[in-house]
Amino acid sequence: MIIPRIYSIHDQAITIEFSQTIDEQINMQVIAWQYEIESNPFPGFIECVPAYSSLTIYVNSDCNIDDLKNHLQKKINITENKNHFNVFSNNQDAKTIEIPVCYDSEFGFDLPWLSNTLKLSIEEIIQLHSEHIYRVYMIGFIPGFPYMGVLPAQLETSRKQNPSLKIPTGSIGVAGKQTGIYPAEIPGGWHIIGKTPLTIFDKSSESICLLKAGDRVKFIPITKKEFDQFQ
Amino acid sequence: MSITILKPGISASIQDLGRWHYQKFGIPVGGVMDKFSASVANIICGNEVNDAIIELTLHGTEIVFNEDAYCCISGHGCTAYINDTKIQFDRLIKIKAFSILKTKPTRYGCRAYLAIAGGFHLNKIMGSVSTYVPSSIGGINGRNLITGDIIHFTHKINKTQKDNTIQISESDFAYANWHINITHQHSESNQTTINCVIGPEWSLFNESSQHSLFNTSFTVSNDSNRMGYRLGGNELSLIQKLEMISSAVAMGIIQVTPKGQPIILMADAQTIGGYPRIARVCAADLPKLAQCRPGDIISFNHITENESFHKLSGIQKKIDQLKISVEMTNQ
């Protein structure tokens, strides 16, 4: 049984830390708690931010964080004792989203290096990467960047020693046990294996982000021609 | 009605109290660095505390008023002039059309706030006008202000018959006939004491680092900005190497890099961080911290979580009190 740690990170923010691991079951707990709190907001509640294995709750001056800590502790105790907190029923909002990816070496410019390092052919890398379904653990680092996992063990690598100065928008990267999509052109240390024609972050759209924590992602390989034709 | 930026100075940007509700998409809260001074300027103008405001970093800004306007400047880091006459901070001022506001260097502080009665008119993105430069969100085209920018405002004085009668005769500006004494936390000095609560990873730091944090001083480095303050001083180290799983952050967290350098996360910090957090700044002291400029010396004072929360409530009361005082002067 996990005993979460509850602590403040600001006079108006509390973190519930479920563990210090990247684990699907733990992240499901995080998202379940996020939904639970968002659907039953208390006075002073502003927002919740899920991460791999923790949930942070931001409040305003209408809420005393000591009271909030006690309230959360009680809620956690009830959940632990009665075991009534159904993780799965609280994750119903999560979607499975298919994301087309062109793994052409023009976009996946680190494929040759990865192939060499991982002792896998480029085709094997593409197959391994696209046959798995990944969980979106959290969005962060820059606006709209989804941290997804868990990558098949054969594809695990460390980050680049020297980050690339410009990674194009839509690039698909891998690092450690994770895979991600670059929502904007920025420097980055992940190895780039392809590119999606989809817009995953749009600050002026209603939904802002195509993905949210708790969603599942399946990458669908497409050809260069299909990529170019994608509207 | 509008103002035109003649010179942005070292840096000037449109802000409000931040872009809340979007951190789960990786969008930082941002907003003004010194919430207290920004709130003071807006309240004196009869605005809401969350109304758009211009954050002026240090000096060198020049702004022309294209129409008569009521405004207030609050904060620190510069002195302000209207057509070469020095003006007071924390006062409601009526400024004549075509007058020029200039800011000049001073020795202390870092950020001043210009509010205009009625508020600046800007499109909100995700509920806020705050400028977040790294992702080009908010403000004018998501960037800091530049020469030639025109910012519109509505001339509106709330319930202020009196203020409308501020007489501008020969001069280019005039003060309202009321004055409220504001006690800013910022001391006119380059040395500041900041109250802190120990952080979630406090116990994982070795004793000498724990001792250093509260018994030695740190210097705000030159590469400090709206995202974070990097501090120079004693190296802080963990008892043993630690791989942390990233989690959400907040303004004021003092995280320590693998090289032992403390960084205090400020308004524009990323939403997620993975460095150990030795301590966090009491939220009531964030305005004071936001007024520290590169080269300033900071000492940290250890307080409890409860003390920290009460200090914040104290600031909130001060702001509420100010609102009431301003309303009363206008009755």
Side-chain angles (χ1 to χ4, degrees), chain A residues 90-164:
Chain A
N90 278 294
N91 274 292
Q92 279 172 356
D93 196 28
K95 295 172 290 187
T96 299
I97 293 160
E98 292 190 342
I99 294 189
V101 180
C102 176
Y103 292 94
D104 191 279
S105 57
E106 180 192 332
F107 301 134
F109 43 82
D110 291 323
L111 279 169
W113 182 89
L114 270 178
S115 167
N116 218 342
T117 309
L118 299 172
K119 307 273 180 286
L120 293 167
S121 71
I122 288 180
E123 290 70 30
E124 285 170 320
I125 294 175
I126 296 171
Q127 200 192 335
L128 279 166
H129 188 258
S130 60
E131 73 186 7
H132 271 71
I133 292 178
Y134 302 98
R135 177 179 181 80
V136 178
Y137 280 89
M138 63 177 185
I139 312 272
F141 161 53
I142 61 161
F145 188 98
Y147 284 87
M148 296 176 283
V150 178
L151 214 56
Q154 300 104 297
L155 292 182
E156 273 182 39
T157 50
S158 54
R159 283 172 198 219
K160 285 181 187 170
Q161 289 292 331
N162 297 307
S164 308

